[in-house]
Amino acid sequence: MSWQTNLPLIAILRGITPAEAEAHVGALIEAGFDAIEIPLNSPDWATSIAAMVKTFGDQALVGAGTVLTPEQVDQLAELNSKLVVTPNTDPAVIRQAVSHGMTVAAGCATASEAFTALQAGAQALKIFPSSAFGPGYIKALKAVLPPDIPVFAVGGVTPENLQEFLAAGCVGAGLGSDLYRAGQPLSRTIEKAQAFVTAYKDAVR
């Protein structure tokens, strides 16, 4: 399975609560997002993910981030989560997610970690923290990776610097606190989502 979304921007909704999730996810989808990640260190994440899969699962790739154990993967499979994003390179977690038919974006920083993730079956790589490494590092890493593997920049990506990471060879980015911070008003999410979508479209024209 390859990466299958129309807009290669992953919305990372760290800290979102079940009560807030539907409004914010709905606004993101309306703005054009079709990959939604709710990290497992968010309050009552299982309730949020289950509800978002049920409500928006036919419109977006909905799933979890900060997935650390095979047991969490099994729990996500029961919720019909389709996306697993990891902060690290754990072959057992990746293999378990792939066995459930999930799309996996595995967190990595080095060539060794990247190839370990690919050998375990990850369909995409997440370079984290991208802002600390910079676009030049990612460009160098991309030179040794299979050209058909989607690479996402995650960590410190803003509407202003998104173009630099795309130019370095990233297919897209995972967007955390520059898109969503826990407790922010819906209007802020809408404003940020539109800024990122515009920045992406401008960069790939």
Side-chain angles (χ1 to χ4, degrees):
M1 187 196 312
S2 61
W3 186 268
Q4 294 173 336
T5 62
N6 294 318
L7 180 74
L9 299 177
I10 305 169
I12 303 169
L13 304 180
R14 190 177 308 280
I16 200 159
T17 65
E20 301 167 301
E22 185 169 349
H24 287 265
V25 173
L28 287 164
I29 289 173
E30 196 168 312
F33 281 78
D34 56 354
I36 308 292
E37 169 194 336
I38 296 176
L40 298 193
N41 52 4
S42 302
D44 197 6
W45 58 265
T47 300
S48 293
I49 291 173
M52 294 308 95
V53 168
K54 188 174 181 181
T55 305
F56 299 110
D58 59 342
Q59 300 173 66
L61 193 65
V62 178
T66 319
V67 181
L68 299 172
T69 68
E71 291 75 23
Q72 289 175 337
V73 174
D74 290 339
Q75 194 173 351
L76 289 164
E78 290 175 13
L79 302 176
N80 292 316
S81 169
K82 300 301 181 199
L83 174 65
V84 164
V85 183
T86 70
N88 59 343
T89 310
D90 186 332
V93 170
I94 296 166
R95 282 195 294 266
Q96 193 75 350
V98 171
S99 76
H100 284 297
M102 297 171 172
T103 298
V104 182
C108 60
T110 66
S112 294
E113 290 173 350
F115 281 103
T116 297
L118 295 177
Q119 285 162 3
Q123 299 96 339
L125 299 174
K126 155 191 160 179
I127 310 300
F128 177 82
S130 286
S131 60
F133 292 114
Y137 177 87
I138 295 176
K139 186 175 183 181
L141 188 60
K142 276 281 295 177
V144 300
L145 294 175
D148 58 331
I149 295 297
V151 172
F152 290 82
V154 180
V157 179
T158 67
E160 292 73 32
N161 67 20
L162 175 62
Q163 189 272 336
E164 296 171 31
F165 289 104
L166 296 176
C170 293
V171 68
L175 311 172
S177 58
D178 285 290
L179 174 67
Y180 177 81
R181 292 177 187 268
Q184 77 181 20
L186 182 60
S187 58
R188 178 84 170 156
T189 300
I190 293 168
E191 176 191 329
K192 286 291 194 176
Q194 290 170 340
F196 272 110
V197 170
T198 299
Y200 176 79
K201 288 180 176 174
D202 287 348
V204 299
R205 269 184 191 161

